[in-house]
Amino acid sequence: MADIEYRGFDPELDDVVQITEMLHRAYKRLKDMNLLFNATHQPPERTLRRLVLGSSYVAVADGKVVGTVTVCPPKLEEPVETFFDREDVAHFEQFGVDPDFQEHGVGRKLLGLVEEEARQMGAKFIALDTAEPALHLIKMYERWGYRIVDLVDWGGVNYLSVIMAKKL
């Protein structure tokens, strides 16, 4: 396995087209399950918009991004409609690891970075959402200490989402 560098996303260094293609590969299993996650098909422009929503991290091997995740700060406006909307909850999104680098701790290391960032933001919880039918992902997050706290229909996708959270 190549040496992996973990750092903040840098639009001057990191190729958004390459990141988008990596996300498409990372989410292929979900696409094959007929689950229309944004990252299964989004164009590079949307990838970039999502990368700059919060603090984004990348895992880089041999000059290529092999993993990414974005952590968004707690929301401070009302109303509170989902667990994501609580003022003590940060959340992460657009989390993906190239299939060739999965099962090697890359994703866990990226999540460690966003969990620490969420603590620094003052969050008491870190949350995520995933498709209710993606049982393999739900089980993975449960192994990492996350628990289901909410069920939501975001619209625009073809599944119900579970919101999972971990106390920081």
Side-chain angles (χ1 to χ4, degrees):
M1 176 76 36
D3 287 336
I4 299 174
E5 172 191 8
Y6 298 89
R7 61 172 170 74
F9 166 72
D10 183 340
E12 299 296 318
L13 292 176
D14 301 317
D15 182 343
V16 175
V17 171
Q18 187 262 324
I19 293 171
T20 302
E21 291 167 353
M22 181 277 299
L23 286 167
H24 291 174
R25 290 190 305 277
Y27 280 69
K28 184 179 183 317
R29 180 175 177 185
L30 298 163
K31 183 177 181 179
D32 290 347
M33 293 172 65
N34 228 12
L35 299 172
L36 297 178
F37 281 73
N38 287 316
T40 63
H41 61 279
Q42 70 192 20
E45 299 78 24
R46 180 146 192 190
T47 300
L48 180 59
R49 280 196 310 272
R50 295 179 73 197
L51 283 165
V52 299
L53 282 176
S55 296
S56 292
Y57 293 90
V58 293
V60 181
D62 296 325
K64 293 191 175 183
V65 173
V66 298
T68 188
V69 64
T70 300
V71 61
C72 299
K75 294 181 180 177
L76 301 175
E77 67 270 356
E78 297 290 332
V80 173
E81 295 179 8
T82 72
F83 193 84
F84 274 9
D85 300 323
R86 291 175 36 166
E87 66 181 27
D88 60 347
V89 176
H91 74 276
F92 67 88
E93 59 182 60
Q94 195 163 248
F95 175 42
V97 175
D98 188 283
D100 291 340
F101 289 81
Q102 292 176 4
E103 305 296 327
H104 296 284
V106 175
R108 191 66 198 106
K109 174 72 174 176
L110 286 167
L111 279 192
L113 293 170
V114 299
E115 289 170 2
E116 181 55 33
E117 177 92 10
R119 280 185 199 90
Q120 292 175 10
M121 291 174 178
K124 291 186 172 55
F125 296 89
I126 180 99
L128 66 105
D129 72 297
T130 194
E132 188 178 38
L135 298 179
H136 66 290
L137 292 179
I138 293 169
K139 288 178 183 177
M140 177 187 74
Y141 290 123
E142 287 175 338
R143 283 193 313 272
W144 292 349
Y146 290 79
R147 299 291 171 253
I148 296 173
V149 296
D150 206 351
L151 184 66
V152 66
D153 182 355
W154 296 119
V157 293
N158 63 345
Y159 53 82
L160 287 177
S161 293
V162 294
I163 296 178
M164 302 183 76
K166 177 180 180 179
K167 187 165 179 45
L168 296 172

